[in-house]
Amino acid sequence: MTIQQASERYQIPMNVLREYESWGLCGAVKKVMGAWQYDDSDLERLSVIMTLHDIGFCTEEVETYMRLLEGKATGAERLRMQEKKRAAALDEIHFKERQLQRLDYLRHEIRKTQKGTGGK
C-alpha cells in the first residue's frame, strides 16, 4: 500500500508517515517506482507510533522509543520512558484536581452568600 493509501485507510497523518520513513526504521517498506509500499509489520509499527503521539510523546521521544523497539533487551528503557510519561500525566491530573477544588470552593462561597441574601 502506498503512503497515500496508508494515510487515508488508517487515518495516519502524512507527516507521521514521512517521519517514519525518514527514521529508516521501515526495513520492510519497499520503494516501488519511487513510492513507498507499506506491509502489515509497518502498519503495526505505525500503530505504536500513533499511540506514542497520542499519549504525549514528542517526535524525538517517539523516534528514540521506536529505535529501542528495534533492539534487543530494551524493555527496561522503554518502560522507563513510559513511566516518565505516566508520572507527568499524573502530575497534570493532580494539578487540574487542585484547580477544580479551588473553583468549587469559590462557587460554594458565592452560593453561600446568595443564600444569605435571599438568592439575589
Side-chain angles (χ1 to χ4, degrees):
M1 138 180 5
T2 66
I3 190 171
Q4 187 67 35
Q5 291 168 329
S7 176
E8 290 171 4
R9 183 175 297 166
Y10 297 102
Q11 302 299 304
I12 303 170
M14 292 295 282
N15 64 314
V16 170
L17 293 168
R18 287 190 185 100
E19 281 175 3
Y20 177 62
E21 290 175 358
S22 74
W23 296 336
L25 298 175
C26 40
V29 175
K30 296 175 178 49
K31 233 176 183 178
V32 177
M33 295 178 55
W36 291 99
Q37 296 295 312
Y38 293 87
D39 66 11
D40 290 341
S41 65
D42 294 306
L43 296 174
E44 287 174 22
R45 282 187 289 253
L46 286 163
S47 176
V48 172
I49 289 169
M50 294 299 296
T51 299
L52 293 171
H53 278 295
D54 288 347
I55 61 176
F57 277 59
C58 69
T59 300
E60 293 79 21
E61 292 169 323
V62 172
E63 181 178 6
T64 298
Y65 189 96
M66 295 307 293
R67 289 193 185 285
L68 286 169
L69 194 58
E70 296 292 310
K72 300 273 190 269
T74 62
E77 181 64 16
R78 287 182 284 128
L79 189 57
R80 186 196 64 73
M81 291 178 76
Q82 292 173 13
E83 287 172 351
K84 182 178 175 187
K85 197 56 68 175
R86 185 178 191 281
L90 281 172
D91 287 346
E92 187 176 332
I93 288 168
H94 294 148
F95 175 77
K96 292 294 185 184
E97 285 175 336
R98 288 190 301 276
Q99 284 182 320
L100 284 172
Q101 289 170 350
R102 291 177 182 145
L103 179 61
D104 288 346
Y105 172 78
L106 292 173
R107 292 172 63 216
H108 171 74
E109 290 297 308
I110 291 171
R111 288 184 178 136
K112 188 169 72 174
T113 303
Q114 287 178 336
K115 285 181 184 176
T117 61
K120 294 180 184 177

